[in-house]
Amino acid sequence: MKKAGDPEGYSVSQLLGLGQQSARKSYYPELTARMAELEAERNRYKWLFENALHGIFQASLGGRLLAANPALAAMLGDADVAATLARCTSLEALFADAEGLDEVSRLLHRQGHLQGHTTWLAGCDGRRVPVALTLLRKPDRGGEILVEGFVADITERERARQELLALNARLEARVRERTQRLEQLNDDLAGEVAERRLIEEQLRAARDLAQEANRSKDRYLAAASHDLLQPLNAARLLVSTLRERALDDDASRLVDSIHLSLEGAEELLTDLLDIARLDQERIQPQRECFPLAQMLCGLVAEYAPRAQRKALRFRCVESRLYVDSDHRLLGRVLRNLLSNACRYTDAGSVLLGVRRRGDVVSIEVHDSGPGIPPDQLRAIFEEYHQLNAERARNRQGVGLGLAIVERICQRLGLAVSVTSTLGRGSSFAVQVPICRPAPAQAASSVAAQPDSPLTGRRMLVVDNDSRILMGMQALLEQWGMRCDTAHDFDEVLEQRLEAPDVLLVDLHLDAGETGDRLVEKLRRHWQRPHLPAVVITADRSEAWRRTLAECGIPLLHKPLRPGKLRAVLSQLIARQEQG
């Protein structure tokens, strides 16, 4: 193959395409097309340059202005581009001040380009034109630094900025004026403030005295309720044991009288404590979705024996509905209604009914008692109001049960109503919202058995009061259970007791021990983390109720109702067998 350096290689004319005329002519059409394209592209860029909305220029950074477009000339107030080029013989003349050019040169050398830099250009009539400048540095040509600039007029923006500054200045002046007026007012009010401060100090001292008195009352109620309910609980347990034994008529009447007296004292203390806590808003509802059947079964187990002792028929309508409410507070409402129904009905029946009414369920308590006069239907919800209680022998309780019912329903947002016919009985109804349980909750719910067998089950009772231990042991053994007792954890270890089926533990024990911690210790001791347990206490504080609920431990208040205790124990044992 021939090479250009070979003696016999291509000539220069051949390398340039001029070796043959025919070969040369073959390049003319392509060259002409390329030239036409270049010309069209040049014209397009020229049109864009001349018709651009923003100013465009080309200049030597250290020399003169080389080119400018009409938009730049109009922006600077020149008649045309020629006038701009004639006026701005150097790039320095384009800027309103030398400091502006120096700053642009410094930034351009450091960064290689500028974008959106605000500065001032010199107009034809000596005015300063605010602009946003973008500069691109071109490759050096013969030692010169060429730049291409794109200029946006920001006169309106600058005017708006100046107006904003002026507005701020006016606002500051008004603020100063208002401040001076307020300072004057503050000076005028200084005397009143001093006087009010003295009054506030007096009010604060009075408030502190009132709060201390209130705290003293709360401490007194808590201590008194605990000290009173402890022996009352022991007495109730012993009397309940006697009532379930076969006694002669005279002894049975005496035991029943003692039972009624203790029951009245218990209800009086409980009602007084509850009404005080409701008035102080210390009871906070904890709403949840739970099966109504669970509550109904517990109520039947608790109140059916009371009705039977008065030869009353007790019936309950079953329900598979779930309700959205506070389980404990709703249970207290229904217990108060059932307690009144059993107390004031001498013959006939008591019915615990359930009716669905759209999105709510009406839980109703019907009795065949003496009825309530129409003009007393509202008054029965007042505190200490009792029907036909002019003589002492007609009084039963202190008349707080329905007042508590109304207050709890108000806290829960539930409607309570009553209808009555003299001589035929009364009906109380509470409207509770229906809810849909979660699939897992619905699948795991099991209908509670009202009479779960307790015979042969082993129970461990831990309480620091020997009287309560004795009464509880007698009652549980009366039910056919095997009952061990202890005062604390050390005594359980000393007796080397085997694991029971259920634990029954007092909340406040000696040496600062609490029932929840003791249950945890016993579960670890017997290596049974799910050993059923119940905590009993005379402490009715909301904090302990929440704490035990988080631990999943049922809480029963002293004095214990045997029917309620039996229902809870039966449910725990049934749940343990099914789990």
Side-chain angles (χ1 to χ4, degrees), residues 83-97:
T84 300
L85 295 176
R87 184 172 60 84
C88 300
T89 55
S90 65
L91 187 59
E92 184 176 354
L94 182 62
F95 284 82
D97 49 56

Side-chain angles (χ1 to χ4, degrees), residues 36 79 119 138 188 202 252-253 290 322 446 464 547 562:
T119 186
K138 306 297 289 184
D188 295 339
Q202 295 172 348
S252 180
R253 282 193 297 271
F290 62 88
Y322 282 69
V446 180
N464 57 354
T547 298

Side-chain angles (χ1 to χ4, degrees), residues 393-407:
R393 65 173 177 265
N394 293 329
R395 295 174 190 162
Q396 301 190 53
V398 292
L400 289 175
L402 292 179
I404 292 173
V405 165
E406 186 175 51
R407 279 170 167 78

Side-chain angles (χ1 to χ4, degrees), residues 288-292 295 321-323 325-327 330 435 441:
E288 59 179 325
C289 185
F290 62 88
L292 188 56
M295 175 175 289
L321 296 175
Y322 282 69
V323 293
S325 188
D326 184 298
H327 189 283
L330 180 59
C435 61
Q441 182 183 7

Side-chain angles (χ1 to χ4, degrees), residues 381-424:
F381 290 98
E382 297 176 1
E383 296 175 6
Y384 310 110
H385 183 87
Q386 290 181 291
L387 296 176
N388 303 321
E390 292 81 6
R391 291 181 295 181
R393 65 173 177 265
N394 293 329
R395 295 174 190 162
Q396 301 190 53
V398 292
L400 289 175
L402 292 179
I404 292 173
V405 165
E406 186 175 51
R407 279 170 167 78
I408 292 178
C409 287
Q410 288 174 352
R411 296 300 302 275
L412 295 177
L414 307 179
V416 59
S417 59
V418 56
T419 58
S420 183
T421 303
L422 283 175
R424 299 186 61 181

